[in-house]
Amino acid sequence: FRLHSAGIAGIREQTLVAVKPDGVQRQLVGEIIQRFEKRGFQLVGLKLVQPSRDVLSEHYHDLQKKPFYSALIQYMSSGPIVVMVWEGCDVVSVSRMMVGDTNPAAARPGTVRGDLCVHISRNAIHASDSVAVAKKEISLWFHGSELVEWESCTRKNNYNV
Ligand code: UDP
Ligand code: MG
């Protein structure tokens, strides 16, 4: 299977995407999953969790000194989130484009935040911002056994393999 998909570099790139508590409360989970599915990315991990402050403080540890940090942790721990791992060519950078600017007021129409959100403090979705960060975030939120390697029948339609 690995040999089969080795034809295109980066085809197995993975990223962490999360629907934040406001997105879950607003019933945007299906809409968000659908955007990634329709784009052609492959789902390899998915769960609904009530995130602990410990995991959140690790997840956002680079932002500890920011003035909005404690409000961010409060918000992110206010209810369940949906964490997922998506796989595909350039999935990290493409996901960031699909998510849009951190501030929904600056996010372009067509992006999740540009279509579905209004305020930076409630921007519905998270996506890893680099391949290295994606690796860390995936291992923070998922056990290896929770990620499923599977052959999608759309793969040969989406890639030149
Ligand atoms: N955030 C906020 N106020 C700000 C900047 C960020 O509440 O002024 C929150 C927002 O939820 C954002 C998260 O902190 O998504 C992480 O910030 P980052 O700069 O990493 O943005 P992202 O990568 O989510 O676009
Ligand atoms: Mg970020």
Side-chain angles (χ1 to χ4, degrees):
F1 173 65
R2 287 194 177 283
L3 281 175
H4 174 73
S5 58
I8 293 188
I11 203 170
R12 313 276 312 181
E13 186 174 299
Q14 296 182 339
T15 198
L16 185 96
V17 173
V19 184
K20 294 177 173 182
D22 55 323
V24 173
Q25 290 291 338
R26 294 177 55 215
Q27 306 188 149
L28 298 177
V29 172
E31 157 96 30
I32 288 170
I33 289 174
Q34 188 168 53
R35 288 177 178 225
F36 286 83
E37 275 194 317
K38 279 186 171 172
R39 183 72 187 240
F41 292 125
Q42 187 174 333
L43 186 61
V44 298
L46 172 74
K47 59 185 175 182
L48 178 82
V49 292
Q50 171 60 57
S52 70
R53 282 174 175 263
D54 282 354
V55 173
L56 288 171
S57 56
E58 182 63 33
H59 179 80
Y60 282 128
H61 97 280
D62 287 350
L63 301 177
Q64 261 165 27
K65 304 244 150 62
K66 302 281 186 187
F68 56 83
Y69 177 77
S70 63
L72 174 62
I73 299 299
Q74 179 70 30
Y75 152 53
M76 287 297 296
S77 57
S78 67
I81 67 171
V82 171
V83 281
M84 23 194 178
V85 177
W86 288 94
E87 182 177 283
C89 203
D90 295 319
V91 68
V92 171
S93 63
V94 174
S95 297
R96 292 289 292 186
M97 274 197 292
M98 291 168 69
V99 163
D101 197 284
T102 303
N103 183 357
R108 293 181 184 236
T111 64
V112 173
R113 289 167 174 166
D115 287 346
L116 305 173
C117 308
V118 288
H119 195 264
I120 193 166
S121 67
R122 296 290 183 273
N123 60 5
I125 185 168
H126 167 83
S128 311
D129 66 5
S130 71
V131 173
V133 166
K135 288 200 171 98
K136 277 194 206 155
E137 292 182 350
I138 289 167
S139 62
L140 177 65
W141 290 98
F142 285 89
H143 298 295
S145 60
E146 294 175 312
L147 302 178
V148 180
E149 203 176 285
W150 58 289
E151 182 66 66
S152 164
C153 65
T154 64
R155 186 183 294 276
K156 50 186 163 302
N157 296 300
N158 292 339
Y159 299 102
N160 180 25
V161 291

